[in-house]
Amino acid sequence: MNPTRRKFLIQTGGLSAAALAGNLSHLGIQAANAQAAAPYQAIVCVFLFGGNDSNNMIIPYTDYAQYAATRTPASNVGIAQTNLLQVNVPSHGKTFGLHPNFAPLQTIYNAKKMAVVVNGGTLIRPMTKATYNTNRPPNLFSHSDQQNAFQGMLPGAAIRTGWGGRLADKLVVTNSGAQIPTVISATGSNVFNNGVTTVGLVIPGNGGVAISGQGTDAISTARMAALSSLLSVPPANQVMTGAASVMQKALAANSAINPILSATLPPVIQTAFTVGGAQLNTGIAQQLKQVARIIESRSALSVKRQVFFVGVGGYDTHSNTVTNQNNLFNQLAPALGAFYDYTVAAGVATNVTTLTMSDFNRTFIGNGSAGVDHAYGGHSLVIGGAVKGGDFYGTFPNLTVKGPDDAGSNGSWIPSTAMDQIGATLAKWFGVVPTDVDYMFPNLANFTVRDLGFLN
């Protein structure tokens, strides 16, 4: 087997993480000495699977008449102005409204620790209505394709990677000695987690990660010892070497993180997630508690940079969008608020930044089922102590149906901000050198602005 084929086999078919330590010769990272004193930082990506209707997440208040003219009549997908939570937006010189269930987030916004990136999307290059048909990404309104696109998958690449995984590729030196991978997902295996030379760790949304059959009894102990012994035997070929390496690292990560995820919830997390006298136990809250557990154990795990991926479904609201989104936001907002409160109480607020993402926005015009259909550009929330909050970043779309920002005839906004620009802004805050940022976000070269400015 020639060397090129060996390398290909190791890096594909689930073995792309054959070396969590990676081959540093081609990563172009700053010298280890320069990164040795790097402070702890974490990015938490919250994915709203299904396509969040961000038209009802962020609503014009000063210009409410334009919103109401299309959203309120007949289609029943609008929200009354009196129900909106008002926020001042200095960059736009206007007042906007947050969804009525966003009270915990309104508090964070007013404290200038939450920002809104408006009208973002999966742009390959800047786009106008005139270039929409030639520049739009493939399979624009497909859930799976756009979820992958937002997570950073590169079309046509031999290895399916996401920007979280590619970020981990470039942080091998910074996280040297870490007992767990850089990227951790609490919502299953996703493209986002995969790097070229690194792999992410998938943990359950609640509870530990003990291997099936693992225990403390004599038989379980003997079985684990036998497995470890087998993995230490020199393999016969490169493919087996890669597979054994992945298994060994998975077992080591499992051993390091399982006690943390299985332990009694630390008081600082318990308190932050207690709202109205009761503990938040929704799916998204449980996942964020898992993230908090790991952040609390950062020193013991010897990690300096981490990227977390959590998610919640149900946002494909083709019918009864107002009711369904009310229920979803009634889970999302308290969980995000509690997680931010945890970071403040734990003294890591300036070290942790949370970003929301979704497949795409929904149409501005409702359908016959009091719902909204697949569209394009939408809004994201950015939360954290390092966020330059209390403001919006980007250009809010013109809400005129068939107008200059409408890709068609039902209010599908053409994004004015690229996901690559949002990610690059986070990467710069993370301390990634500019040349490595282009590795993570290859479309960034097509845009003039590399840093949107929403982070200190």
Side-chain angles (χ1 to χ4, degrees):
M1 186 180 292
N2 63 62
T4 301
R5 181 165 173 77
R6 285 197 209 104
K7 182 178 180 181
F8 174 78
L9 286 171
I10 291 174
Q11 291 184 334
T12 56
L15 299 181
S16 60
L20 284 175
N23 177 359
L24 305 186
S25 63
H26 67 285
L27 292 185
I29 310 175
Q30 291 176 317
N33 291 340
Q35 303 237 8
Y40 177 83
Q41 287 179 284
I43 296 171
V44 183
C45 294
V46 179
F47 207 96
L48 311 180
F49 287 97
N52 174 44
D53 178 22
S54 61
N55 291 313
N56 273 1
M57 184 171 77
I58 307 296
I59 298 172
Y61 191 92
T62 301
D63 298 332
Y64 182 80
Q66 187 182 43
Y67 166 92
T70 300
R71 275 242 144 171
T72 302
S75 61
N76 297 318
V77 295
I79 297 176
Q81 186 178 27
T82 54
N83 292 335
L84 300 179
L85 303 177
Q86 297 179 48
V87 292
N88 182 45
V89 182
S91 61
H92 289 60
K94 297 177 181 179
T95 299
F96 281 76
L98 303 181
H99 188 277
N101 287 354
F102 272 16
L105 303 182
Q106 182 191 33
T107 299
I108 301 174
Y109 181 94
N110 288 338
K112 302 188 185 305
K113 299 304 178 184
M114 184 179 94
V116 181
V117 180
V118 295
N119 202 24
T122 53
L123 286 169
I124 298 172
R125 57 184 59 85
M127 184 190 299
T128 65
K129 192 163 185 173
T131 60
Y132 170 73
N133 288 325
T134 55
N135 284 353
R136 66 182 182 179
N139 304 318
L140 178 57
F141 303 116
S142 159
H143 287 294
S144 59
D145 288 289
Q146 292 312 299
Q147 287 166 8
N148 287 340
F150 243 104
Q151 293 173 38
M153 190 179 80
L154 306 179
I159 304 172
R160 289 166 57 93
T161 66
W163 64 265
R166 294 195 296 274
L167 196 156
D169 289 343
K170 298 299 185 180
L171 293 173
V172 172
V173 171
T174 306
N175 268 348
S176 176
Q179 299 181 48
I180 57 175
T182 298
V183 183
I184 296 179
S185 170
T187 188
S189 180
N190 293 278
V191 167
F192 180 85
N193 313 333
N194 301 332
V196 175
T197 58
T198 61
V199 69
L201 175 66
V202 177
I203 62 173
N206 185 33
V209 291
I211 298 171
S212 179
Q214 182 181 4
T216 58
D217 59 282
I219 294 177
S220 296
T221 301
R223 182 165 52 233
M224 186 59 67
L227 176 59
S228 298
S229 179
L230 285 171
L231 290 173
S232 66
V233 175
N237 58 59
Q238 195 74 11
V239 173
M240 291 178 65
T241 298
S245 176
V246 170
M247 178 62 78
Q248 287 174 322
K249 290 175 174 65
L251 292 174
N254 171 81
S255 178
I257 206 168
N258 188 53
I260 294 167
L261 299 180
S262 302
T264 301
L265 195 64
V268 66
I269 303 175
Q270 181 88 17
T271 300
F273 280 83
T274 299
V275 178
Q279 186 72 186
L280 291 179
N281 284 315
T282 58
I284 186 62
Q286 293 281 17
Q287 291 180 55
L288 289 172
K289 288 180 193 178
Q290 295 283 73
V291 172
R293 285 176 181 271
I294 297 169
I295 292 175
E296 275 297 281
S297 302
R298 60 195 179 278
S299 297
L301 294 169
S302 301
V303 290
K304 293 183 178 178
R305 293 288 189 279
Q306 289 188 284
V307 182
F308 296 96
F309 190 80
V310 304
V312 60
Y315 283 85
D316 193 18
T317 53
H318 286 282
S319 61
N320 301 318
T321 187
V322 172
T323 299
N324 290 331
Q325 198 173 45
N326 280 343
N327 294 333
L328 291 164
F329 283 171
N330 198 36
Q331 299 175 42
L332 177 68
L336 290 176
F339 181 72
Y340 174 73
D341 289 344
Y342 152 71
T343 65
V344 173
V348 294
T350 58
N351 306 90
V352 180
T353 299
T354 301
L355 168 73
T356 66
M357 302 187 293
S358 191
D359 320 13
F360 35 60
N361 196 358
R362 316 294 295 192
T363 55
F364 199 47
I365 292 181
N367 58 33
S369 301
V372 280
D373 301 319
H374 300 181
Y376 197 3
H379 315 312
S380 294
L381 309 178
V382 189
I383 303 169
V387 174
K388 297 178 183 176
D391 209 348
F392 289 8
Y393 293 81
T395 304
F396 198 84
N398 182 315
L399 299 184
T400 303
V401 174
K402 300 183 183 180
D405 293 334
D406 189 355
S409 59
N410 57 4
S412 177
W413 314 129
I414 297 172
S416 52
T417 299
M419 178 60 231
D420 290 64
Q421 294 173 291
I422 299 172
T425 305
L426 287 163
K428 180 182 178 182
W429 171 73
F430 233 39
V432 178
V433 297
T435 52
D436 288 346
V437 173
D438 287 289
Y439 165 81
M440 298 165 200
F441 303 99
N443 295 321
L444 187 62
N446 298 327
F447 298 88
T448 302
V449 177
R450 298 171 60 91
D451 180 0
L452 298 176
F454 56 74
L455 282 166
N456 289 307

